[in-house]
Amino acid sequence: MPAGILMESTLIILKPDCVKAGLCGTVLSRFEKEGFTIAAMKMVRLSRALLEEHYSHLSGKPFFPSLLEFMSSTPVIVAVLKRENAVEKARQICGKTNPAEAAEGTIRRQYGSSVQANIIHASDSLQSAEREIRRFFKPEEICA
Ligand code: UDP
Ligand code: MG
C-alpha cells in the first residue's frame, strides 16, 4: 500500500470478560494478523464518569446501570489500532453486538458469552473513533 493512503485509527477496549478469561493476547494477535498495528495501549480501570460519557448514547436503556457496573468491574485494555479502513475492518472482525447473532469466525461469536459480555468494544464510525481516541488518550501517548 502506498505510504499513508487511507490509513485510519480506531479505538478498541478489551472488556472485563476478555481480561478475566485471559484472552487479551489472543484478541490482539488476531488484529495484528489482520494487518493492524498498535499505536497506543494501556490497562486502566474506567471510572463511572468516563463510562457514562462513553456510553451516553445508551443512557436511557434498561441495561445501562448493569453495563456500567460490568465495564468498571475490572481494569480493561484500551488501545488505538491503525490500518487502512481500520474502523470498518475492526467492526467486521468483532462481529455483531450479540455474540449469538455474530458471524462465524468473528471475535464476539468465538469468545463472547452474552450481549453484555461480548469481549470487545470497537469504534463504530470515523467520528466516534476520533472522539473516543481523544477520550481515552493524551496526544503524547499515541505513537506516530
Ligand atoms: N449492551 C448490552 N445489552 C444490549 C445492548 C448492548 O449490555 O442489549 C452492551 C454491550 O456490551 C455492547 C455495549 O452495550 O457492546 C454498547 O452497545 P452498542 O449498541 O453500542 O453495541 P456495540 O457498538 O458495542 O456493538
Ligand atoms: Mg457502539
Side-chain angles (χ1 to χ4, degrees):
M1 186 181 70
I5 293 221
L6 299 176
M7 205 58 174
E8 276 179 20
S9 296
T10 193
L11 182 117
I12 63 160
I13 304 174
L14 304 182
K15 297 183 176 183
D17 56 323
C18 182
V19 172
K20 277 193 260 185
L23 286 168
C24 296
T26 302
V27 171
L28 286 168
S29 178
R30 174 72 192 278
F31 281 95
E32 289 187 317
K33 283 190 187 112
E34 298 276 1
F36 287 84
T37 57
I38 299 167
M41 184 157 75
K42 59 185 168 188
M43 183 152 221
V44 276
R45 190 183 282 266
L46 301 177
S47 69
R48 306 281 299 192
L50 194 75
L51 284 166
E52 273 173 23
E53 190 188 307
H54 180 66
Y55 284 126
S56 61
H57 63 295
L58 300 171
S59 65
K61 301 283 185 190
F63 61 81
F64 187 67
S66 157
L67 176 61
L68 264 49
E69 196 61 42
F70 167 63
M71 288 298 295
S72 58
S73 63
T74 73
V76 296
I77 288 178
V78 191
V80 177
L81 301 182
K82 279 190 164 175
R83 212 200 93 141
E84 176 201 355
N85 199 24
V87 172
E88 194 186 325
K89 186 67 188 176
R91 293 285 294 189
Q92 221 177 67
I93 293 171
C94 292
K96 284 193 181 173
T97 309
N98 184 350
E101 292 170 5
E104 208 58 60
T106 60
I107 290 170
R108 283 168 164 175
R109 174 62 174 263
Q110 193 169 1
Y111 303 114
S113 45
S114 70
V115 64
Q116 177 179 84
N118 59 4
I119 300 287
I120 185 163
H121 166 83
S123 308
D124 65 6
S125 69
L126 266 176
Q127 292 89 326
S128 19
E130 273 175 34
R131 199 171 47 237
E132 291 174 358
I133 289 167
R134 249 184 283 124
R135 178 173 301 141
F136 291 97
F137 289 95
K138 299 184 188 113
E140 63 267 27
E141 289 178 315
I142 303 166
C143 300

